[in-house]
Amino acid sequence: MAAAALRWALRAAGQVLPSPCTRQVRSYFVDWRMLRDVKRRKLAYEYADERLRINAIRKNTILPKELQEVADKEIAALPRDSCPVRIRNRCVLTSRPRGVKRRWRLSRIVFRHFADHAQMSGIQRAMW
Amino acid sequence: MWGRGAGRAARCSLLFLTGRPRSKIQKLFSTSSVLSTEKDKSTTSTGSTNEVASKSPEGAAETPKQKLLNIIGNMKVEVTTKKKFQQLKTQEIKKQATDKLEGLDSSSTFQGPAEDAQRSKPLNRELVEAVSAVASSLPRSKEQTESELLAQLRRHEETTDKQRKGGTINIRNVISEMSIKRQSPAQRGVMISNRISLAMEEDGQRLKPERLSSRSFDSRRSLREGKRLNIFTKAPPETESALKTVSSPTIWDLEFAKEIAAVTDQPPRNGFEEMIQWTKEGILWEFPIDNEAGMDDDAEFHEHIFLEKHLKDFPKEGPIRHFMELVICGLSKNPYLSVKQKIEHIEWFRNYFDEKEEFLQEM
């Protein structure tokens, strides 16, 4: 999940597609917080396997405790940004940390703006 | 067309011909005589004389004259059975012969002795004798027939010389390889029944059983057996050089290719083209949806499940082994990882525990 979001962010950020496309291409991050979030996502992707394996040793009742303590120290030694917990699902267009719908990765305000202009596929004002 | 009585005789003689093994040139001439003749009498006579020709050259080396005369004597018996028919036509043919003596156009005259002449060039004396014998055996005037036959002989000699220079060899080789397709009555019945039953259906369905039957016959001979006909020349080996030049594209080539792509890629004219473009880019999936699209896992199920063989380097007892067996149990139930990733997972643990061995032994 993190990896996919990271790749998606990279694409939105500034990767040039091989074929000429007429869609909106952004060549900058909205703010520094968004940039830091992107870095955290990259590192989390890199260290994901290692973290999983060390945690498997730690969260264990079979292996001796000494081994588990060593594993604790090892995982603490990894870079802080490598843990996936630090990732925040920000709005892709405005970098708003709160009020973000996961399916569209947009904050509620942007979502509402696009939906009213009929630029969201399959979205309609609810009435019942 | 065939007449009633003459037709039967001709058919018998022709069947007799087809049955006998004879030389290639005689085959040619026999078929040509069948196709070219028009009169019934001429066909019967050609049939009978072809018999003569088929038999004579095989014994030509030893006693050609004797054999010829014997055969011609036998021939007399055959011809006399159709006397009435011949007598009816003699006058007509006489007239034709007189007209065409100098022109030498008709092929309705005898071609049996002509085959003799064509086959054996140095045996001219015997040919002439054969000619005289044949002429005497037939009811027509002897001198006329003799002159006709000799003219025919000369004509055929000329044509065969031309053919030899031109290269009859190809035809000979081609025909030597061909054999007569013999259908058993069962197969014949099958084919006929197929035609009758499938006459109302489409052409494509009718062709299939025929094709199968022909293939069954060809399967007897392999494609690579037999003499080479030398009809086709070998293609020059140009493909290798072409492949070599393509293998190293420079940066400028790539740039050029990108430029061309940028110019030629017009915006899509309609929704279909847009969908095609999206499918190429990977935005749209390919329909019908393939559940295994992008997944190139060639490993069998047993490689995913039975991972105990990778635990060889681990100690056989103790908590580590217990732990690793649990790891393997979890991996075997994981459908998202490839076999390589699973092996890497186990290897990482092996390396980790090897590093910690000293620490473990202290305990």
Side-chain angles (χ1 to χ4, degrees), chain A residues 19-20 23 49-50 52-54 56-57 60 62-64 66-67 70-71 74, chain B residues 265 278 281 283 319-320 322-323 326 344-345 348-349 352-353 356 359-360 363:
Chain A
S19 64
R23 289 169 224 120
D49 293 335
E50 241 185 274
L52 174 78
R53 286 155 192 169
I54 294 169
I57 292 169
N60 226 329
I62 303 159
L63 294 174
E66 290 84 1
L67 200 62
V70 169
E74 273 192 15
Chain B
D265 284 341
W278 284 349
E281 286 174 25
I283 295 163
I320 291 174
H322 189 23
F323 173 74
L326 285 174
E344 274 175 28
H345 199 85
W348 186 91
F349 276 111
Y352 184 81
F353 287 122
K356 306 296 169 191
F359 180 76
L360 289 167
M363 296 185 323

Side-chain angles (χ1 to χ4, degrees), chain B residues 91-104:
Chain B
Q91 285 181 1
E92 288 183 36
I93 285 163
K94 268 189 184 175
K95 285 179 195 171
Q96 272 196 3
T98 48
D99 292 333
K100 292 175 186 178
L101 252 176
E102 294 166 15
L104 313 167

